[in-house]
Amino acid sequence: MATRPFEVAGSPFFIAEGIFAAEIVEECRRRGLLAGAYALRRPRGTTFLRRLTRDLAEQRKAPGVLLRRGLALLRAEPAVLRRQAGLGAHPAPAGEVLRRVADLLAGHPHRH
C-alpha cells in the first residue's frame, strides 16, 4: 500500500472516505486522532443500480462486462462491510453518518 503525507493543520477534522478508508482507523486511533469511523451501509440493490447506471452512462466498459462486474460487487459487498467493521469502522446508514458528523462539527462528539 502506498502512503502519502497530508496536512490537517488548522482543521478540527478530516474525513477519509472510500473503500480503503478503514485501513487508517487503527493508526488514527493510536495517535488520538479518531473522532469516528463509519462504513456506509446502503441497500445492496440500490448501490448496484447506482453503480450500473453511472458506469453505463460513462461507457466505462461493454454493458455485459459492467453487469457481470456489478453482480460480483453486489455479492462481495457483505464481506467488504465485514472487513471494514473488523478494521474498526462502524457500519451505519447514510443518515446516521451524516448526523454523527454534524454532531462532531457542532461540538457534540459521539465517539466510536
Side-chain angles (χ1 to χ4, degrees), residues 38 44-45 76 99:
Y38 309 100
R44 290 182 332 162
R99 279 190 303 278

Side-chain angles (χ1 to χ4, degrees), residues 1-65:
M1 179 186 316
T3 61
R4 183 171 29 134
F6 67 99
E7 289 290 324
V8 293
S11 298
F13 301 103
F14 71 93
I15 295 176
E17 65 87 29
I19 194 165
F20 298 111
E23 302 288 338
I24 66 170
V25 169
E26 188 53 42
E27 182 64 19
C28 288
R29 181 177 285 120
R30 188 184 72 72
R31 292 180 182 211
L33 300 174
L34 189 67
Y38 309 100
L40 193 57
R41 188 179 66 220
R42 285 193 166 136
R44 290 182 332 162
T46 300
T47 301
F48 168 78
L49 290 174
R50 284 181 179 173
R51 182 183 296 124
L52 184 61
T53 300
R54 178 201 65 203
D55 292 350
L56 286 170
E58 294 177 6
Q59 299 178 346
R60 292 175 174 228
K61 292 182 173 52
V65 171

Side-chain angles (χ1 to χ4, degrees), residues 37-42 81 89-98 100 112:
Y38 309 100
L40 193 57
R41 188 179 66 220
R42 285 193 166 136
L81 195 57
H90 171 71
E96 180 181 336
V97 172
L98 290 173
R100 289 179 181 221
H112 255 281

